[in-house]
Every structure is written in C-alpha cells, then in structure tokens.
Amino acid sequence: MTKVFGGGTDVVRALDGVSLGIQENEFFTLLGPSGCGKTTLLRLIAGFEQPSGGEILLDGASLTHLPPFRRPVNTVFQSYALFPHMTVIDNIAFGLEMRGLSKTETADHVAEMLDLVKLSDLGKRKPGQLSGGQQQRVALARALANHPRVLLLDEPLSALDLKLRKEMQIELKRIHRDTGITFIFVTHDQGEALTMSDRIAVMNAGHVLQVGSPTEIYEHPTSHFVADFIGETNFLEGEVVARDGASAKVRLSSGVERQASAPKDAAAAGRVSLAIRPERVTLSQSRQTGALNGRVETMVYFGTDTNYHLRLEDGRAFMVRLQNHEGAQAPFATGDEVAVEIADHALQVLRD
C-alpha cells in the first residue's frame, strides 16, 4: 500500500510499501511518532482517503473503491464528534435510524450499547453534561451500535487525563472482548500499545518496521528505532564472534562475552549494535575485571523502583533500573564505583 500527497518537488510519501495482515477479532495497534503514516493508513481503511497504489481487502474482497458508508467499518475519533444538541440515546440511535431500523429495534440496540459501555443511567443527558471518559464511551457505543466488522480508533484516549486514560484502557479491552469485533487502534503512546494490544505494528516515515506481540516488540526489537521508541533502552557496541540460529555470542568493548538474542536477518559476524533494557541488568558494589564498569552520576526515585544513571568507562551513558524493597535503603549512591552485571540473552542484537 502506498499513499502519496502532492506532486513534483512537493511530493510526500505518507505510506511507502506498507503490507499488513490483521486477524479477525484482533486488537491490532498502529504505533509510531507523529507523521509516521499511522493515521493515514487508518483513513485509507475507513475510506476517507484513496490509496495511490495497492488494495484494502476484507475476507479477500476489495474495499478500495467503496465509499465510507458502504464499508463494514466505523471510526471513533480523537474529538469524539458527538452531536451536542442530542441526548446520549439520540447520539447512539442516529446511525441506526439512518439505516431504517424500526423504533423498537433501535431502542433495543441503544439499550444494549448503553449496557455495554456502562452508561444505562445517563441516556437522557447531553454530551456537555458528561465527563471526558463518559463522552468517550458514548462515542464507542455509537460506533459499535451498527455492529461493524472493524472498529477504527484514532488516538481516542489522548484527550483524557492519566488516571482516566488508564481506566479507559481497561474498558476498551473489556469492550473488545465482549463484542468480538476487530479493533484497529492508532496511538503514539507506547504504554497504551503494550497494555492493550494483541499485536503491534511499529511505524516510522511511512514504513512498518516491525510487527509482533507486545512481548516480542519490547523484548526483541529488531531495529535501533523500535528499541529506542518502545520504552527505555541502553545501546552498546559489540562484535559477533559466533552465531547459532536466533542466538549469537557477542564480545562487548570491555572484553566480556555474552549470549545475545538476534533476529534472523541480523549480521552473522562483525560489529553490531546491541540493546539492553535498564531492568535486565544488576549492579555490584565494586569494579570487576572484564565487566562493564562505571560510576553512578545521578539517582531518580520512582517509588516502586530507582533509576541509576551511570557513566561507563568508555564515556557512554547507561541506565539501570532496580526495584525498591520496603524499608531498604538505596544500595548505591551518587559517585559510587559499580560494575554492571548482564545475564545471557539480556542483550538484543539489532538489525540496523
């Protein structure tokens, strides 16, 4: 799938060779920074834009040239797009009435949707009388009332405060489970994607860089961009000295050798970049021969854990996250000389 905007010297390739397969009943997330093409892809699926090349298929049948109202797809927008002069009941009923359903059928569907989103007692209120989270639930109920095959969600939680956003993440997962409808969710928030998704497609500059489960994306990023974009990551340089399938023996600049995970298309030998999560390492009190040695520069306390920002011997910055234990003092202080202990397979060889 490609999508090009403009022409001549002003051409913009919003999508460049994107190919994705999304499974029925899946909660699939398009994740990436602003301008990566994720919303453009969602608009193509909805029918609000036409592709410059490629097709959109549902069960093998092309949707590419169907107008939005002919597609078995509904969209929940970031702005909710509720009718302010209508009650909650009327907002949800609007699409059903446009389809020509009887008053009885419409009332039954509306009651079902209100129960689904837990707003049965607020049906007679107008959007201006609801909280942001309640308005979001009304938008969901309206989009789901027609029982679409696919529900598209364009950053629907971004306008909510942190606590409400967390609550709505749980509600969205429940609604997805209860309806069995395929959800395609767009977000730039890594936490949302990891929390809610069955699978994630990480995008950048119009390309899909990696597709996988939240565990695969977080634990086994294949590229520098994915490793850096998803969570917090340390990057090291090393050399592959042996390769065996999805595992590689690497030698770090300190001379220490460790077994690392490696994607199939990563280098089989020579210099490579490596990623390691801050929580996948531990610290010891004194420097060790052949280890990654450094000095604690700063400490940041987060309640559940403490982040230690180190400066390694080669000048590289490195972060370690250690869980805090009740009543225990922080084991390390600013200025301490420490050694970073890395377990086998905590390192991930990057493809690029």
Side-chain angles (χ1 to χ4, degrees):
M1 177 73 65
T2 60
K3 178 61 180 177
V4 177
F5 293 102
T9 58
D10 295 325
V11 67
V12 175
R13 299 184 71 85
L15 294 174
D16 193 358
V18 170
S19 179
L20 287 172
I22 300 173
Q23 300 167 13
E24 188 173 5
N25 302 337
E26 187 172 30
F27 197 121
F28 191 91
T29 296
L30 303 174
L31 173 67
S34 298
C36 71
K38 57 187 185 296
T39 296
T40 298
L41 182 53
L42 204 76
R43 290 178 61 81
L44 288 170
I45 297 170
F48 302 142
E49 302 280 356
Q50 284 295 305
S52 304
E55 279 195 293
I56 300 166
L57 304 175
L58 180 63
D59 291 338
S62 178
L63 302 180
T64 309
H65 301 294
L66 291 179
F69 67 89
R70 294 284 304 278
R71 301 186 184 200
V73 173
N74 271 348
T75 305
V76 177
F77 299 98
Q78 182 177 341
S79 62
Y80 312 148
L82 300 175
F83 300 116
H85 62 288
M86 292 184 179
T87 65
V88 168
I89 288 174
D90 291 338
N91 265 279
I92 298 172
F94 181 80
L96 300 170
E97 293 170 348
M98 294 293 291
R99 283 174 50 198
L101 269 65
S102 69
K103 288 186 177 180
T104 301
E105 289 176 311
T106 297
D108 288 344
H109 279 298
V110 170
E112 178 189 355
M113 290 301 105
L114 285 172
D115 184 60
L116 178 69
V117 298
K118 299 182 179 179
L119 291 177
S120 296
D121 56 341
L122 300 180
K124 294 183 179 180
R125 293 191 184 182
K126 292 183 178 180
Q129 298 172 301
L130 303 176
S131 69
Q134 290 167 340
Q135 290 183 47
Q136 182 60 271
R137 294 185 192 200
V138 176
L140 279 167
R142 185 178 62 182
L144 291 166
N146 284 320
H147 297 287
R149 293 284 305 280
V150 180
L151 184 67
L152 308 177
L153 301 110
D154 187 9
E155 304 213 39
L157 309 183
S158 61
L160 304 178
D161 62 52
L162 178 60
K163 184 176 180 180
L164 190 53
R165 192 158 65 242
K166 296 290 186 183
E167 292 174 359
M168 282 304 301
Q169 289 173 14
I170 296 170
E171 282 300 297
L172 272 178
K173 283 295 291 180
R174 178 188 62 80
I175 291 169
H176 173 256
R177 182 185 65 246
D178 291 349
T179 61
I181 292 172
T182 301
F183 280 22
I184 303 178
F185 185 86
V186 160
T187 185
H188 64 275
D189 188 306
Q190 305 95 317
E192 277 185 2
L194 293 171
T195 300
M196 302 170 67
S197 312
D198 295 320
R199 286 193 303 152
I200 301 168
V202 183
M203 299 183 65
N204 189 42
H207 295 87
V208 173
L209 303 184
Q210 187 174 349
V211 180
S213 69
T215 300
E216 290 168 340
I217 295 291
Y218 185 82
E219 297 289 350
H220 303 290
T222 58
S223 68
H224 190 286
F225 179 88
V226 174
D228 195 32
F229 189 74
I230 305 292
E232 294 176 301
T233 312
N234 296 300
F235 295 98
L236 298 171
E237 299 298 320
E239 181 180 3
V240 175
V241 295
R243 181 71 188 266
D244 182 14
S247 180
K249 179 178 282 189
V250 296
R251 182 182 298 118
L252 302 180
S253 57
S254 64
V256 68
E257 293 187 356
R258 287 289 182 269
Q259 289 296 128
S261 299
K264 293 180 180 178
D265 51 355
R271 301 293 297 176
V272 292
S273 292
L274 302 153
I276 184 167
R277 299 293 184 184
E279 69 274 11
R280 297 295 303 277
V281 297
T282 58
L283 293 177
S284 60
Q285 288 282 3
S286 57
R287 290 172 175 262
Q288 299 176 13
T289 303
L292 285 179
N293 295 307
R295 181 190 299 270
V296 177
E297 289 195 328
T298 58
M299 300 163 49
V300 183
Y301 177 78
F302 285 100
T304 56
D305 51 58
T306 297
N307 288 357
Y308 294 89
H309 296 265
L310 315 181
R311 185 67 57 183
L312 300 181
E313 288 180 319
D314 63 1
R316 188 185 299 269
F318 195 92
M319 188 174 78
V320 178
R321 181 178 297 119
L322 300 181
Q323 188 173 6
N324 295 323
H325 299 285
E326 184 179 1
Q329 290 186 327
F332 306 99
T334 300
D336 281 357
E337 302 285 346
V338 293
V340 180
E341 299 179 352
I342 302 174
D344 282 346
H345 297 291
L347 287 163
Q348 172 72 34
V349 177
L350 301 176
R351 184 181 57 217
D352 51 43

